[in-house]
Amino acid sequence: MSDLKKEAASLHTAATGLRGTGHHTTKPLQEFKAASHDLSALGALGSLLGAKGEIEKGMNTLAKLTQDLHEEWEAEAKFMGEVSDAFDLLDVLLAAAGESGKSGKKG
């Protein structure tokens, strides 16, 4: 297996893994977002300190950042897949060029 072929396979595997990360965090993120509106666990302490609004705002910010991270991971996975495809094509083209060079020398 050529180095390009190995790199392409490695990138393809990495891209596939990166695409799958969102599937593992979707449910926990939904639960986290829902919990940001129900901060009853803080009880009176949260109300007394006026912390509820700040905590809710912070949790919403974390949820938004996580969604942004998912989008970034998708973009990275797409790019890695494209590079993998380009390496595969380049490997085929180099092999074909090598074969045509050999047949040209025989004649």
Side-chain angles (χ1 to χ4, degrees):
M1 183 181 262
S2 73
D3 288 341
L4 283 175
K5 196 73 164 167
K6 289 178 187 175
E7 285 296 321
S10 177
L11 282 169
H12 178 73
T13 300
T16 300
L18 196 53
R19 281 187 194 99
T21 56
H23 300 294
H24 299 293
T25 57
T26 300
K27 185 177 179 188
L29 181 59
Q30 288 171 345
E31 291 170 357
F32 185 80
K33 287 167 117 178
S36 71
H37 300 293
D38 178 22
L39 301 175
S40 58
L42 294 174
L45 180 61
S47 298
L48 290 174
L49 297 176
K52 184 177 186 258
E54 289 300 313
I55 292 170
E56 184 176 339
K57 182 179 174 184
M59 289 178 78
N60 286 334
T61 299
L62 285 172
K64 173 70 172 111
L65 290 172
T66 302
Q67 287 175 328
D68 292 346
L69 187 56
H70 286 177
E71 291 172 12
E72 180 70 23
W73 287 340
E74 273 298 315
E76 289 294 323
K78 182 178 184 232
F79 176 72
M80 290 168 71
E82 291 170 353
V83 171
S84 173
D85 292 345
F87 281 178
D88 280 337
L89 179 60
L90 182 58
D91 190 54
V92 168
L93 292 173
L94 288 172
E99 288 300 316
S100 69
K102 287 178 186 177
S103 64
K105 289 182 181 178
K106 289 180 182 179

